[in-house]
Amino acid sequence: MALLSIVLPAYNEEQNIANTAAVLKNCLESAGIEYELVFISDGSRDDTFKEIQKAAAADSRIKGAEFSRNFGKEAGIFAGLELTEGDAVIVMDCDLQHPPQVIPEMWEKWQQGAEIVEGIKKSRGEESLGYKLSAGLFYKIMSKLIKMDMNASSDFKLLDRKVVRVLLELPERNTFFRALTFWAGFQTETVEYEVQERQFGESKWSFWSLMRYAIANATSFSTLPLQMVTVMGVVSILFSVILAVQTLIKYLFGNAVEGFTTVILLILIIGGFIMLSMGVIGHYISRIYEEVKGRPKYIISKITDNVQESVLGAWKK
Ligand code: UDP
Ligand code: MG
């Protein structure tokens, strides 16, 4: 019988582990799906990993690992994928905001031949103003850049083993799981779901961490910001030609452009353009620097007893 693996990244989620495991058990057993749960504690500062160990000791279908520090949700997802053994893998949040009731539907579509089943948000529940200004805005821009609706798509997906293998082979460190499945292609189906209220605890994202996540993801998926630098250059060259001609004509007719105002404005505008462009280029260089160093995406410091010891310590990628 086919096995379903569920990857659950968890950062300071001690209150959610036992409950989520129980809810999933209930849901999957009644749907007759054979499964395993992989919890990755992302360097939690509370007892999340102890809870995972407790759950794993009570049920051999549950396993997990702890990171040496907080590496972020992306790293958690990839470490989870690495530990899975199932023929299909579902990635979902461990706060039950992704409703487990949709899992049987995803499973069904996979059995009918889908290689990726995307979870699509019907509505985003409660959205704060902070969200609309950061992540919301970011997803709008991203959707334009990569031509898919990022606002409705989520990290809640089912992947066939083939797709997992492809994702795990990717050499890049700065991954963006949500968009990578679109990039990978494969036969894709969708399942709609209603985003639920968080069960316990609170959201781990602050405005700034979302902002950082947004910029990192946008630049890992597109070089459009770099092309914008060229566009800005072309625009300012056109503008300077016009201004130069006008200034020279005025000069030849004996009434040169007056005063410092023009000079100050020009310096400010061009200075602004140059600094912005250097910032954009600098950002890409820093990304190259990070990739070139070749450090691992995450470091696993602890594992539950049913996980192979070879995953301890740094990975080869
Ligand atoms: N998460 C993680 N590492 C982090 C931040 C979050 O593994 O650095 C996990 C978190 O435990 C949860 C999921 O990612 O399972 C989504 O996070 P959260 O619920 O805080 O985000 P929101 O649902 O508010 O977008
Ligand atoms: Mg959540």
Side-chain angles (χ1 to χ4, degrees), residues 24-33 35 59 61:
L24 285 173
K25 176 183 155 99
N26 213 329
C27 165
L28 294 163
E29 278 183 353
S30 61
I33 301 173
Y35 71 96
D59 185 342
R61 291 171 297 185

Side-chain angles (χ1 to χ4, degrees), residues 170-288:
L170 292 176
E172 67 210 65
R173 254 145 291 278
N174 289 298
T175 50
F176 182 28
F177 180 67
R178 192 171 301 190
L180 271 176
T181 53
F182 290 90
W183 169 85
F186 290 98
Q187 188 182 331
T188 304
E189 294 285 335
T190 57
V191 163
E192 287 206 329
Y193 71 93
E194 220 42 89
V195 177
Q196 308 297 305
E197 290 296 316
R198 191 173 235 286
Q199 282 293 313
F200 301 104
E202 48 194 38
S203 176
K204 305 297 174 294
W205 297 101
S206 66
F207 175 79
W208 288 112
S209 66
L210 264 178
M211 231 25 202
R212 232 177 298 129
Y213 184 68
I215 293 173
N217 289 334
T219 51
S220 86
F221 242 84
S222 168
T223 50
L224 198 77
L226 277 177
Q227 282 141 36
M228 293 302 288
V229 172
T230 318
V231 172
M232 278 192 323
V234 171
V235 168
S236 55
I237 285 174
L238 287 180
F239 183 68
S240 41
V241 168
I242 297 170
L243 210 66
V245 170
Q246 191 223 27
T247 313
L248 279 177
I249 290 175
K250 274 197 172 170
Y251 177 73
L252 291 175
F253 283 99
N255 47 353
V257 187
E258 264 181 64
F260 278 122
T261 320
T262 328
V263 178
I264 289 172
L265 282 180
L266 281 177
I267 290 176
L268 288 180
I269 293 169
I270 293 175
F273 271 179
I274 292 175
M275 301 274 246
L276 191 65
S277 307
M278 291 214 309
V280 171
I281 296 168
H283 183 82
Y284 278 90
I285 293 178
S286 77
R287 300 306 295 260
I288 297 172

Side-chain angles (χ1 to χ4, degrees), residues 28-44:
L28 294 163
E29 278 183 353
S30 61
I33 301 173
E34 207 181 308
Y35 71 96
E36 61 164 359
L37 305 182
V38 180
F39 286 98
I40 303 292
S41 170
D42 183 9
S44 301

Side-chain angles (χ1 to χ4, degrees), residues 93 95 97 198:
D93 287 359
D95 55 6
Q97 285 194 279
R198 191 173 235 286

Side-chain angles (χ1 to χ4, degrees), residues 8-13 16 40-44 48 67 70-77 92-98 121 124 131 139 155 178 195-196 198 200 202-205 209-210:
L8 302 127
Y11 178 49
N12 296 343
E13 305 276 13
N16 281 313
I40 303 292
S41 170
D42 183 9
S44 301
T48 301
F67 283 171
N70 183 246
F71 278 91
K73 185 182 174 186
E74 284 289 314
I77 292 173
M92 66 189 288
D93 287 359
C94 78
D95 55 6
L96 291 182
Q97 285 194 279
H98 296 153
K121 287 175 265 190
R124 261 226 39 141
Y131 178 86
Y139 287 133
D155 288 340
R178 192 171 301 190
V195 177
Q196 308 297 305
R198 191 173 235 286
F200 301 104
E202 48 194 38
S203 176
K204 305 297 174 294
W205 297 101
S209 66
L210 264 178

Side-chain angles (χ1 to χ4, degrees), residues 294-315:
R295 291 192 182 154
K297 279 195 198 93
Y298 52 82
I299 297 169
I300 291 180
S301 61
K302 293 185 191 113
I303 47 173
T304 55
D305 295 334
N306 48 1
V307 172
Q308 285 182 357
E309 280 205 24
S310 58
V311 303
L312 283 172
W315 290 97

